[in-house]
Amino acid sequence: MEGKERNAPQGQETDAEAWQRLSAYAYLSAPERLEYVAVMRVFCGTLLADLSVPDLLTKLAERGGPGAGLDAETLTRRLEELVRWGNLLRSTHTVRATSISEYQRSRSRYQLSKLGERVQRDADEVLAGADAAREVSSELLALVDRGLRELAAMAAAPGGADPQQALERISTLFVQFTGFAESVRDFYAYLGQVLARYDLDSAEYQGFKELLLDYVEAITEDVSFRGPRIAAHLDAVRPHLPALLARIDAHTAGITAPADGLPETRVQRSRGRDLADWEGMREWFTTTGAHSSQVDQLRDATLRALQSLLANAKRMLRSASGEMSRRKDLLRLAAWFDAAEPEEAHDLAVAAFGLYGARHLGVAPDPDRSVPAYVSWWTGPVVDVPVALRERGSRSPRGRAAAAEDHSEQKRRLMEQARQQAEARRTAADELRSASGRFDQVRLGTPAMRLLLELLTTALGNARLHRESGDFLLDGARADDADLGIRLTAWRTPGRSTVLRSVDGDLTADDLTVAVESTSTPAAGEMSAAEEPVSALKAPMPEVREASA
């Protein structure tokens, strides 16, 4: 946990302040990041020192590396960028020069900012051991247990604890706890990086197994043993903390006393001097509310690690049947491709994947034999090539031609099937003609209902929608079948519906009227497009509405 800030402005920091702080990381992602890091390391190696461009050139040349080849003009641009990002500050140091040229060389001096020093220190820690497995300082947990027990005894003694002794004990206690918590986080972050791999070979798996079964188990047991004791000590100290911290502040205020007269100055107190620091330590060992303790999370992480170990063991057992991961081999092959010339890359592709030049013989394989795409042509099944094609290169067969196959029975069967279907459609058309105008009173058969829906779909597809008197109407919603001599007309009737009944279920068409007629009737008996909606509106409409089956 980090210490809390005193004399900070009310509320959270503004977006501009957050953006300025995050800009201090910009040099780590710039294309010239190695040169920037070399410059920042020179500044971090000094305390309260301002350096000029000639001084930096000398130090960079002594150190060697990426920054040794910078000239004065390029280095000046790098320094100005670091000033703009907030990593460096322009120094106010008075320049004493004996000549104009010396003044021009020394007038631009730079010094390290607090934010720049913090960012570079974190970057160096990441570069030094980001991929290494950090050892967990489990011995610090025993010291935390002992320190809390002694502090609880001091706070409960008559007259209270001595402020100086209590301050020394609290400072030591939080340094030990912070070191232990950081080592646990770093180690389990490394463990999660290893757990994400599914290409462990036997040697790596053996080391990973020993790491989990021995080291992680020992850490979990130690934390599980001392966690309840530390939680009990924290509960015992907790009632005495407000008075104890007040006595410590009265005894030694530290840097907060001179900073009280500077409202704009932010002070970061030592860990343990605020109640929030103690609450953070207590949440590490005790479950509070809906948040589980770090001890429980540590136990769950260990269980997930053991499950991952078991998954890797199963994978290695399946590798005997050829199902092992080829991630490591593919990464090595990708590196070869990256370093190869075009001609060598073609040879690598041929050797790795068997992608030889294809000879398209046009011989169809056996349809009953399925060959996966990853099977090489060298080891795949052989396709039988006809003798005429193999010896003479000709596909034309020799000898007597086979008799043509007789399909007369199949044609007769298909014609009979077509005749039956046409007869069924004519019968359905006759049923629709007889039921027109009283669809709600007649239950149609399945073929008739199917034909009615087919015509209705075609009619609605042919319709044109237009607006008249604030309502929408349909024009041209008509479908004809010349072979059956039937016509279906549909139009919109707001507030009224049509119920189409059949043996398969009922269909309710809202705001729609449907009429079916024969196209072979005399012209005098036919209705015009303008008369059809009028006559249909006069017919009684059903009020019963049922869901389709």
Side-chain angles (χ1 to χ4, degrees), residues 66 90 281:
R90 287 190 176 87
M281 180 186 290

Side-chain angles (χ1 to χ4, degrees), residues 468-506:
E468 181 177 332
S469 300
D471 199 359
F472 290 96
L473 300 178
L474 294 174
D475 288 343
R478 177 180 299 175
D480 297 303
D481 193 322
D483 296 335
L484 300 177
I486 190 172
R487 173 186 299 164
L488 182 142
T489 305
W491 58 92
R492 190 170 183 271
T493 55
R496 311 185 71 177
S497 303
T498 300
V499 180
L500 306 177
R501 303 181 182 275
S502 70
V503 296
D504 297 328
D506 299 343

Side-chain angles (χ1 to χ4, degrees), residues 148-178:
L148 283 172
R149 184 176 66 251
E150 296 175 356
L151 185 62
M154 294 169 57
D162 180 74
Q164 184 62 31
Q165 294 181 0
L167 178 59
E168 294 174 358
R169 178 61 60 190
I170 290 175
S171 299
T172 304
L173 180 65
F174 272 87
V175 169
Q176 294 166 349
F177 170 70
T178 303

Side-chain angles (χ1 to χ4, degrees), residues 6-273:
R6 298 286 298 271
N7 301 329
Q10 297 293 331
Q12 299 180 351
E13 63 179 9
T14 62
D15 293 341
E17 292 176 347
W19 179 266
Q20 180 60 34
R21 292 185 180 182
L22 293 176
S23 297
Y25 291 88
Y27 76 96
L28 296 174
S29 58
E32 305 83 6
R33 59 180 69 90
L34 296 180
E35 298 176 0
Y36 283 117
V37 169
V39 172
M40 290 297 297
R41 283 175 177 169
V42 172
F43 280 98
C44 289
T46 60
L47 293 176
L48 288 178
D50 51 356
L51 302 175
S52 62
V53 173
D55 298 335
L56 283 172
L57 288 175
T58 302
K59 292 182 177 294
L60 290 173
E62 293 175 354
R63 291 171 176 255
L70 293 175
D71 54 17
E73 183 178 354
T74 305
L75 179 59
T76 302
R77 290 199 302 268
R78 302 286 186 267
L79 293 172
E80 291 299 324
E81 288 294 324
L82 290 171
V83 170
R84 184 172 64 88
W85 290 326
N87 303 91
L88 297 180
L89 301 173
R90 287 190 176 87
S91 175
T92 58
H93 177 74
T94 302
V95 177
R96 294 184 179 181
T98 59
S99 63
I100 296 178
S101 59
E102 183 180 355
Y103 172 76
Q104 290 176 346
R105 290 194 305 268
S106 305
R107 64 177 179 175
S108 298
R109 305 184 68 87
Y110 305 87
Q111 66 182 24
L112 189 65
S113 67
K114 178 182 180 297
L115 183 59
E117 189 273 336
R118 180 68 175 272
V119 171
Q120 182 58 38
R121 177 155 46 90
D122 293 343
D124 286 333
E125 290 181 1
V126 171
L127 294 175
D131 297 332
R134 180 177 177 180
E135 184 177 5
V136 177
S137 304
S138 57
E139 67 280 357
L140 295 178
L141 196 62
L143 298 177
V144 171
D145 184 11
R146 185 192 311 167
L148 283 172
R149 184 176 66 251
E150 296 175 356
L151 185 62
M154 294 169 57
D162 180 74
Q164 184 62 31
Q165 294 181 0
L167 178 59
E168 294 174 358
R169 178 61 60 190
I170 290 175
S171 299
T172 304
L173 180 65
F174 272 87
V175 169
Q176 294 166 349
F177 170 70
T178 303
F180 170 75
E182 290 180 353
S183 64
V184 168
R185 285 196 299 267
D186 288 348
F187 175 75
Y188 273 84
Y190 165 78
L191 198 60
Q193 177 179 336
V194 178
L195 291 176
R197 294 181 53 189
Y198 291 94
D199 60 333
L200 298 176
D201 54 23
S202 58
E204 292 174 329
Y205 173 78
Q206 185 67 24
F208 186 32
K209 182 182 68 173
E210 295 177 358
L211 178 69
L212 283 177
L213 298 183
D214 299 336
Y215 193 70
V216 176
E217 190 67 23
I219 296 172
T220 307
E221 291 179 356
D222 195 11
V223 173
S224 300
F225 171 70
R226 298 192 179 276
R229 300 176 56 177
I230 294 177
H233 295 328
L234 287 171
D235 291 338
V237 174
R238 191 179 183 188
H240 306 283
L241 282 177
L244 180 60
L245 295 179
R247 293 183 62 185
I248 293 175
D249 288 341
H251 173 69
T252 171
I255 198 174
T256 58
D260 289 338
L262 301 174
E264 299 299 328
T265 302
R266 297 182 180 183
V267 176
Q268 194 172 19
R269 306 195 71 188
S270 300
R271 290 169 178 159
R273 298 290 296 271

Side-chain angles (χ1 to χ4, degrees), residues 234-450:
L234 287 171
D235 291 338
V237 174
R238 191 179 183 188
H240 306 283
L241 282 177
L244 180 60
L245 295 179
R247 293 183 62 185
I248 293 175
D249 288 341
H251 173 69
T252 171
I255 198 174
T256 58
D260 289 338
L262 301 174
E264 299 299 328
T265 302
R266 297 182 180 183
V267 176
Q268 194 172 19
R269 306 195 71 188
S270 300
R271 290 169 178 159
R273 298 290 296 271
D274 290 326
L275 289 175
D277 299 334
W278 289 90
E279 289 299 323
M281 180 186 290
R282 183 170 174 269
E283 291 175 358
W284 212 97
F285 296 97
T286 306
T287 301
T288 57
H291 300 283
S292 59
S293 64
Q294 294 292 326
V295 176
D296 296 335
Q297 295 182 17
L298 193 66
R299 191 180 299 111
D300 295 340
T302 304
L303 180 60
R304 289 194 298 269
L306 293 174
Q307 292 174 350
S308 178
L309 177 67
L310 180 61
N312 275 277
K314 293 180 180 179
R315 178 194 58 79
M316 296 188 68
L317 290 176
R318 291 195 304 265
S319 64
S321 59
E323 299 180 4
M324 65 180 301
S325 173
R326 305 301 298 272
R327 179 176 179 272
K328 183 179 296 184
D329 297 335
L330 292 176
L331 289 176
R332 186 184 301 112
L333 180 61
W336 291 347
F337 273 115
D338 184 61
E341 297 295 332
E343 295 78 7
E344 297 176 351
H346 289 301
D347 295 338
L348 282 174
V350 169
F353 304 108
L355 299 178
Y356 297 90
R359 296 183 178 90
H360 300 281
L361 301 178
V363 180
D366 187 356
D368 298 331
R369 179 182 296 180
S370 178
V371 181
Y374 57 81
V375 175
S376 174
W377 287 11
W378 290 110
T379 59
V382 179
V383 178
D384 294 331
V385 181
V387 177
L389 182 60
R390 185 172 64 248
E391 295 182 353
R392 300 186 300 273
S394 174
R395 292 179 176 273
S396 58
R398 291 191 176 187
R400 185 175 178 180
E405 186 176 356
D406 185 9
H407 298 286
S408 57
E409 180 63 23
Q410 182 179 4
K411 292 180 180 180
R412 187 195 63 77
R413 185 171 63 254
L414 292 176
M415 292 178 63
E416 179 64 20
Q417 182 180 356
R419 187 191 63 78
Q420 293 176 0
Q421 292 177 353
E423 182 65 26
R425 287 179 64 85
R426 283 194 294 270
T427 303
D430 295 339
E431 185 177 354
L432 288 180
R433 293 190 192 94
S434 63
S436 179
R438 52 191 184 93
F439 285 119
D440 58 327
Q441 304 173 7
V442 178
R443 191 168 296 277
L444 302 174
T446 299
M449 188 64 176
R450 187 181 298 112

Side-chain angles (χ1 to χ4, degrees), residues 499-521:
V499 180
L500 306 177
R501 303 181 182 275
S502 70
V503 296
D504 297 328
D506 299 343
L507 173 66
T508 301
D510 294 332
D511 300 337
L512 192 70
T513 301
V514 178
V516 178
E517 62 179 347
S518 176
T519 57
S520 60
T521 55

